[in-house]
Amino acid sequence: MTLLPFKLKKVADGLNVRVSNHFHYTDFGVTDSREQNHYGRRYVCTGTPGTGFIERESESHSYREFVRGHFRNQRPKYWNLFFNREPDFDREITRARAALDQTTDPMKRNILDAYVNALSVAAVEEEIERIQRGIKDRIGHHDHKKYYVSVLSHYKHKVSQLRDDMESVEFNIRNTCTDEQYQAYLRLVDMFIKVASCRRIWNQNEASRLKYDQVFFDLGTFDFIRSECYLPILRSSKGVDYYLLPTVILVVRSSVDFDVVPLADVTLVCQEMAIQETIEVLSSRLGDAASMLRIPTFDQTWYFNHVRPIMHFAGAYDELRALSTK
């Protein structure tokens, strides 16, 4: 429980600034705008540090509202701070360490171990971000601007050093597969981008009143996992997300509650919907559904208003999966 929205902190000799106690959302450890900005625009954190997605260009009003909803949740609110509803590094490290102690799966242990280390580095950077904001606020209200700028440069240099530290502790998917698998994975990601761009995607949900809920596919990251390309995210309407990696699929319920399922154990079924099938569901939300994607292992079915991108994606998935079953 935090009572005040800020604290006074000494950041250099003779310099005390007001530092916000609100969590500062940052893409540190997640994005490299120089190499990956063609995948989207902004990094959207989805509740815990190091997990989120990259906003993509879309004309869909519902997708833009989906993104805006996440950003609205990030606005500083005193009651969220007071009741500990904002992201918290100490709390997340404790949860990750507890999950690490309870798992025996080798890859899950590697992911969680790297996550704990990455959180420790990111926590330092996040505080520096808040310190820098406090210094910038003081620059406009004081005569000693040159000194303030030099202090600010000092903290910027610290962030640069932390970027190298973060890269060394993150879980890198490049080390989990062969060169052949990695190249097949990159082709899969390219095909997935076209699938994610489909105008509408529905997920079957027997518990829903409408039975078919609109969901969105994106590229993103999970628990600071490092990759030259972002990870494909297949969302379900029940709050479970599926992250595709070169050799496994992560079935994610939260940042510390997830399963690691070998790609070789997961088949993907894709088919074009017949005309009569489409007519049968006209009374629901699937009036223009053209194809279906099903993962029997997870009992998940998605419907799309396009056919060709889904077929190409399924073909790329089968190609990657075949390399895992050799």
Side-chain angles (χ1 to χ4, degrees), residues 203-205 213-217 234-242 252 300 302:
N203 180 231
Q204 188 169 357
N205 184 353
D213 296 327
Q214 186 175 13
V215 296
F216 305 101
F217 288 1
L234 289 75
R235 294 190 180 93
S236 75
S237 55
K238 296 182 179 180
V240 179
D241 298 335
Y242 301 88
V252 174
Q300 289 290 344
W302 292 272

Side-chain angles (χ1 to χ4, degrees), residues 1-264:
M1 182 182 298
T2 305
L3 295 177
L4 295 176
F6 65 88
K7 60 187 174 185
L8 288 175
K9 185 177 180 65
K10 181 178 180 180
V11 298
D13 290 339
L15 178 57
N16 296 295
V17 300
R18 290 200 339 174
V19 177
S20 173
N21 284 325
H22 286 287
F23 180 83
H24 182 89
Y25 289 89
T26 173
D27 61 3
F28 175 78
V30 173
T31 63
D32 186 340
S33 59
R34 293 168 300 175
E35 297 178 3
Q36 297 176 327
N37 59 5
H38 63 284
Y39 284 113
R41 294 179 291 176
R42 297 174 291 180
Y43 165 66
V44 185
C45 178
T46 51
T48 55
T51 296
F53 64 97
I54 304 301
E55 178 190 20
R56 53 184 167 79
E57 296 286 349
S58 175
E59 296 180 358
S60 167
H61 172 76
S62 53
Y63 179 75
R64 292 199 298 269
E65 181 57 32
F66 170 71
V67 173
R68 284 195 292 265
H70 281 291
F71 281 120
R72 281 196 296 269
N73 291 336
Q74 294 180 12
R75 292 174 184 168
K77 297 184 179 109
Y78 176 73
W79 290 112
N80 287 343
L81 179 68
F82 183 79
F83 289 110
N84 295 323
R85 293 172 183 165
E86 294 186 353
D88 180 88
F89 282 102
D90 291 337
R91 183 172 63 240
E92 189 66 11
I93 289 173
T94 299
R95 294 175 67 234
R97 283 176 174 164
L100 180 60
D101 291 339
Q102 296 171 5
T103 186
T104 58
D105 182 276
M107 181 170 283
K108 185 174 181 179
R109 287 190 62 85
N110 289 339
I111 292 173
L112 286 171
D113 185 51
Y115 185 44
V116 170
N117 293 329
L119 284 170
S120 299
V121 177
V124 177
E125 192 278 340
E126 189 266 347
E127 184 177 24
I128 290 177
E129 292 280 359
R130 289 185 283 116
I131 290 173
Q132 289 185 114
R133 182 68 268 168
I135 296 173
K136 290 176 182 177
D137 290 341
R138 284 288 300 275
I139 287 178
H141 304 281
H142 206 279
D143 295 332
H144 304 291
K145 292 185 178 180
K146 185 177 293 186
Y147 177 58
Y148 285 3
V149 170
S150 67
V151 174
L152 196 59
S153 298
H154 167 72
Y155 281 103
K156 287 182 178 180
H157 179 65
K158 277 190 173 183
V159 171
S160 178
Q161 292 177 319
L162 288 171
R163 291 189 188 280
D164 295 334
D165 294 340
M166 177 63 93
E167 184 174 348
S168 68
V169 301
E170 287 178 318
F171 180 85
N172 194 330
I173 66 168
R174 188 67 183 84
N175 301 326
T176 67
C177 59
T178 65
D179 290 340
E180 188 178 14
Q181 286 175 315
Y182 190 68
Q183 293 305 315
Y185 179 70
L186 294 180
R187 290 191 290 273
L188 173 72
V189 172
D190 286 339
M191 295 300 103
F192 179 83
I193 292 172
K194 297 180 176 63
V195 173
S197 298
C198 287
R199 183 166 51 89
R200 290 179 184 153
I201 304 173
W202 298 272
N203 180 231
Q204 188 169 357
N205 184 353
E206 297 295 341
S208 172
R209 181 176 63 85
L210 297 173
K211 193 175 180 180
Y212 301 97
D213 296 327
Q214 186 175 13
V215 296
F216 305 101
F217 288 1
D218 278 299
L219 290 168
T221 189
F222 175 70
D223 285 3
F224 286 113
I225 290 178
R226 186 170 188 80
S227 173
E228 293 177 12
C229 61
Y230 293 113
L231 311 178
I233 309 170
L234 289 75
R235 294 190 180 93
S236 75
S237 55
K238 296 182 179 180
V240 179
D241 298 335
Y242 301 88
Y243 289 75
L244 302 184
L245 275 65
T247 59
V248 300
I249 295 179
L250 302 182
V251 183
V252 174
R253 292 170 290 275
S254 76
S255 59
V256 298
D257 180 13
F258 60 92
D259 300 324
V260 179
V261 183
L263 212 66

